[in-house]
Amino acid sequence: MKKITYMSNLILALLILGLAITLISATMVILSNTPLLSYNSASGTNMWIGLEVSGSWQHAAQRLSSNNYNPILWLGIMQILPLICINCILIRLFRLYQQGVFFSVKNSQCFSWLGAILVFQFVMVAIAPALVFTIITAIDGIELKRVVSISDTDIISLIAGLIIFVIGWIMKQAHQLQQEQALVI
Amino acid sequence: MPIIIDLDVMLAKRKMKSSELAQAIGITAQNLSVLKAGRAKAVRFSTLNAICQHLECQPGDILRFVDEQA
């Protein structure tokens, strides 16, 4: 129990730090289009904290850049939304673990939401660039070739999402069994 | 639930308190209260055996089936 509380505290601190960095980076990009930290020294040290479009959206980001659109504003912000949600859910889950609550309905809800967001993220990865390009075409009349790009990591995260979703159901079932077991005299 | 627990009646017949029975059969007073109130999902044979032994009765004296559709 002490180990769980200790590790939960550590993970909570890391999650909160990660969330804070993500939120500050996003705010800085939206307000001034500058990274949170950018440090280069003569010895070759390079430190950078900010937002960038990664994964299967990189090609779409390059196309946006070549057409003078800011890829961070059009895609980067959208890309971090599921990450922020996942971070918030994990904070909630580890706060429950910290309090010694392991198999309650709230825990199973966290797992279900986590799985649902990972599945939603896969759908978003698939359709968002095409949707953004359609919006740009509709607004500015610039014809951008719409491409649906899915990488192996997206498929892995989809499978992980489905597995976590099922774990959420199993935990809910386990909670019901636990409640019934308490009523066996 | 169509199964009615008549533990109250049997306790009254034997002039025994719930807490005494709970202590005698080794379950908590809360659990016996759950059983008496008919909120229990299941009764273990070991519990039923202990109740019958201490109240000197048959399972049928404690459990009764009432057909709710009738």
Side-chain angles (χ1 to χ4, degrees):
Chain A
M1 183 68 191
K2 267 185 182 177
K3 276 182 191 172
I4 295 171
T5 312
Y6 176 76
M7 284 306 289
S8 297
N9 280 331
L10 184 72
I11 293 168
L12 258 178
L14 290 171
L15 286 169
I16 291 168
L17 182 72
L19 183 65
I21 289 173
T22 309
L23 288 175
I24 294 167
S25 299
T27 313
M28 284 182 74
V29 166
I30 291 168
L31 296 178
S32 61
N33 201 15
T34 52
L36 178 62
L37 173 73
S38 184
Y39 173 77
N40 290 303
S41 76
S43 62
T45 311
N46 183 12
M47 285 172 72
W48 186 86
I49 300 174
L51 274 187
E52 65 173 3
V53 180
S54 59
S56 48
W57 286 4
Q58 273 174 335
H59 293 294
Q62 282 168 2
R63 207 164 295 155
L64 281 174
S65 293
S66 59
N67 284 284
N68 297 323
Y69 288 100
N70 186 347
I72 303 290
L73 283 177
W74 284 94
L75 291 173
I77 302 294
M78 207 185 287
Q79 201 171 34
I80 62 160
L81 284 176
L83 296 178
I84 291 171
C85 291
I86 288 168
N87 226 322
C88 291
I89 294 165
L90 286 174
I91 287 171
R92 186 180 146 93
L93 182 65
F94 279 94
R95 199 158 274 165
L96 287 170
Y97 289 157
Q98 188 192 31
Q99 291 162 359
V101 182
F102 303 112
F103 300 108
S104 72
V105 179
K106 285 177 184 172
N107 293 67
S108 66
Q109 271 175 353
C110 285
F111 277 95
S112 298
W113 289 339
L114 211 56
I117 285 173
L118 283 171
V119 172
F120 168 74
Q121 193 183 22
F122 174 79
V123 176
M124 200 181 82
V125 163
I127 63 164
L131 199 69
V132 165
F133 286 4
T134 307
I135 292 167
I136 288 173
T137 306
I139 294 170
D140 294 343
I142 299 165
E143 193 58 47
L144 291 166
K145 197 179 171 188
R146 289 170 205 107
V147 177
V148 173
S149 168
I150 297 166
S151 67
D152 52 349
T153 44
D154 298 326
I155 293 167
I156 289 167
S157 75
L158 171 72
I159 294 167
L162 290 171
I163 291 169
I164 292 169
F165 201 74
V166 172
I167 289 172
W169 278 342
I170 290 167
M171 283 191 68
K172 206 173 178 180
Q173 200 68 36
H175 178 71
Q176 278 176 356
L177 283 172
Q178 191 189 25
Q179 274 187 325
E180 281 188 12
Q181 194 60 34
L183 290 173
V184 173
I185 312 296
Chain B
M1 187 90 134
I3 300 289
I4 308 294
I5 311 276
D6 282 332
L7 200 55
D8 269 337
V9 179
M10 199 43 78
L11 279 169
K13 277 184 187 168
R14 300 288 183 260
K15 290 174 184 163
M16 195 185 259
K17 286 181 184 171
S18 299
S19 55
E20 282 174 36
L21 179 66
Q23 203 176 8
I25 63 174
I27 65 169
T28 62
Q30 287 100 317
N31 275 349
L32 192 68
S33 169
V34 167
L35 189 60
K36 270 168 57 184
R39 284 188 285 118
K41 292 269 181 189
V43 185
R44 288 193 187 92
F45 277 128
S46 56
T47 311
L48 195 58
N49 178 50
I51 291 171
C52 290
Q53 207 163 21
H54 282 87
L55 293 179
E56 292 170 352
C57 64
Q58 292 297 313
D61 298 330
I62 302 165
L63 303 172
R64 183 162 48 92
F65 173 74
V66 176
D67 195 355
E68 284 181 336
Q69 289 173 337

